[in-house]
Amino acid sequence: KAPDQAALEKLIADGIEPEMPGAWTLSPKELTQVAEYVRSLGSIPPETVPGDPTTGKDIYRKSACATCHIVDGTGPGFGPELTNIGIRRNAAHLRQSILKPDEVLPDGFMLIEAGQTKGIRLAEDLFNIQLMDATGRLHSFSKANTTINRTRNKSPMPAYTKFPASDLDNLIAYLASLKGSAQ
């Protein structure tokens, strides 16, 4: 919601109705400090990653990663958005995500089979469930009229355990280099 420091300070000062009231009592210095703190959340310290990002980008392309993931607006979005993954995740996490994706699922992640449609759960209430299929299409089903099977702790991403070590290092170097607009 805020692409830079000034926009974040304004957002904090004005608030986001109805979730977050404005912080109108903060001084300009306090506003800057809060914004700097918020921007630091989720950031990882710089690290040296073995591998070549340029070669890794080619491996990303050849391995068809873009059939699920988005980088710079390209891809269907079935898998996580990766444009700034290098800011949010360290190399060890990226490696585990590729080799053992079932072990790094976000809280609440669930695969759903609703009727003949398989996908990931986006939203659910007492009466309906919404999901996205592997092509990025959105679906909504009435729970009363649909058989729903839930799979927890399972990623739709296969474990890429057959990558040669150098290819894995290069792919991780590419992913770690993805820092979005913060580059």
Side-chain angles (χ1 to χ4, degrees), residues 14-181:
D14 295 346
I16 304 170
E17 292 297 331
E19 305 92 36
M20 184 182 96
W24 53 270
T25 60
L26 296 179
S27 71
K29 181 179 178 182
E30 291 170 326
L31 209 69
T32 297
Q33 291 171 331
V34 169
E36 287 172 354
Y37 172 72
V38 168
R39 290 175 63 84
S40 75
L41 297 173
S43 296
I44 59 166
E47 64 181 330
T48 302
V49 179
D52 175 49
T54 303
T55 304
K57 184 175 184 177
D58 193 44
I59 293 165
Y60 178 90
R61 185 185 53 76
K62 287 179 182 176
S63 299
C65 300
T67 59
C68 291
H69 298 282
I70 296 173
V71 172
D72 293 329
T74 302
F78 186 65
E81 154 76 71
L82 299 177
T83 300
N84 65 0
I85 194 73
I87 294 171
R88 297 179 285 117
R89 299 289 185 251
N90 64 22
H93 181 92
L94 296 171
R95 183 175 301 275
Q96 186 175 20
S97 296
I98 294 167
L99 296 176
K100 298 177 182 180
D102 293 341
E103 294 181 7
V104 292
L105 294 171
D107 290 340
F109 182 87
M110 192 180 305
L111 288 173
I112 300 291
E113 186 174 340
Q116 300 298 312
T117 305
K118 295 179 183 178
I120 55 175
R121 180 179 66 175
L122 298 177
E124 181 174 5
D125 61 25
L126 293 174
F127 306 103
N128 301 295
I129 189 164
Q130 292 78 38
L131 59 97
M132 181 190 311
D133 67 22
T135 67
R137 291 184 58 207
L138 305 177
H139 302 268
S140 184
F141 298 94
S142 165
K143 289 180 171 180
N145 302 324
T146 309
T147 301
I148 298 172
N149 295 313
R150 302 162 191 277
T151 305
R152 292 174 172 82
N153 304 319
K154 178 75 177 131
S155 173
M157 182 171 148
Y160 286 92
T161 56
K162 304 250 188 242
F163 270 141
S166 62
D167 283 359
L168 185 58
D169 285 345
N170 292 330
L171 179 58
I172 291 167
Y174 168 64
L175 295 172
S177 77
L178 296 176
K179 300 194 187 292
S181 61

